[in-house]
Amino acid sequence: QVELVESGGGFVQAGGSLRLSCAASGVTFSQFGMAWFRQAAGKEREFVAGIRRNAEMSRYADSVKGRFTISRDSAKKTVYLQMNSLNPEDTATYYCAGAYGLILSSVRTETAYRYWGQGTQVTVSS
């Protein structure tokens, strides 16, 4: 049974940093592509960052490029999202997602991911 568990959300002031973690279980991690999406109140869920099984291949939303970094630790079966220079527009529930057979052109596509975590809240105050 595949399970994705996020952690690391919280409350931070504008300009601050947070690191989100997503621990995967029940997966062959070396074959598993992963991503972070977020959903702000009253808005649709949107892509934030994704990383293929090959950790060298990642993609970012334009809104977070240069501020957020996605990475993965195979030994821990965990993917991270380092978020720097946070601003109030980053306030949202952040979801971890995963899929086997993820191709680079689909990294930003929500429907490409079969498995989802429960979400972790990030709140950035001005």
Side-chain angles (χ1 to χ4, degrees):
Q1 181 180 352
V2 175
E3 187 175 20
L4 304 179
V5 179
E6 302 101 333
S7 61
F11 185 91
V12 64
Q13 291 189 333
S17 298
L18 282 174
R19 189 177 80 157
L20 304 183
S21 300
C22 176
S25 60
V27 304
T28 303
F29 196 72
S30 62
Q31 301 297 315
F32 204 60
M34 299 188 74
W36 290 94
F37 287 76
R38 67 185 181 186
Q39 187 168 22
K43 295 185 178 181
E44 294 186 352
R45 190 156 55 185
E46 64 175 2
F47 170 79
V48 176
I51 188 166
R52 282 197 64 206
R53 58 181 185 175
N54 179 343
E56 294 180 355
M57 302 180 76
S58 59
R59 290 293 185 266
Y60 296 90
D62 289 343
S63 59
V64 307
K65 200 172 295 183
R67 300 188 298 123
F68 292 10
T69 302
I70 189 170
S71 61
R72 56 189 291 152
D73 185 328
S74 296
K76 296 182 178 179
K77 293 188 176 181
T78 298
V79 67
Y80 302 98
L81 185 68
Q82 178 66 43
M83 305 186 295
N84 299 328
S85 301
L86 285 161
N87 58 62
E89 289 70 38
D90 295 316
T91 295
T93 301
Y94 284 71
Y95 296 91
C96 173
Y100 289 110
L102 186 67
I103 60 176
L104 195 58
S105 61
S106 297
V107 167
R108 295 183 173 89
T109 306
E110 187 174 340
T111 55
Y113 298 89
R114 178 176 180 181
Y115 305 102
W116 292 82
Q118 80 288 350
T120 186
Q121 178 67 35
V122 171
T123 303
V124 184
S125 67
S126 57

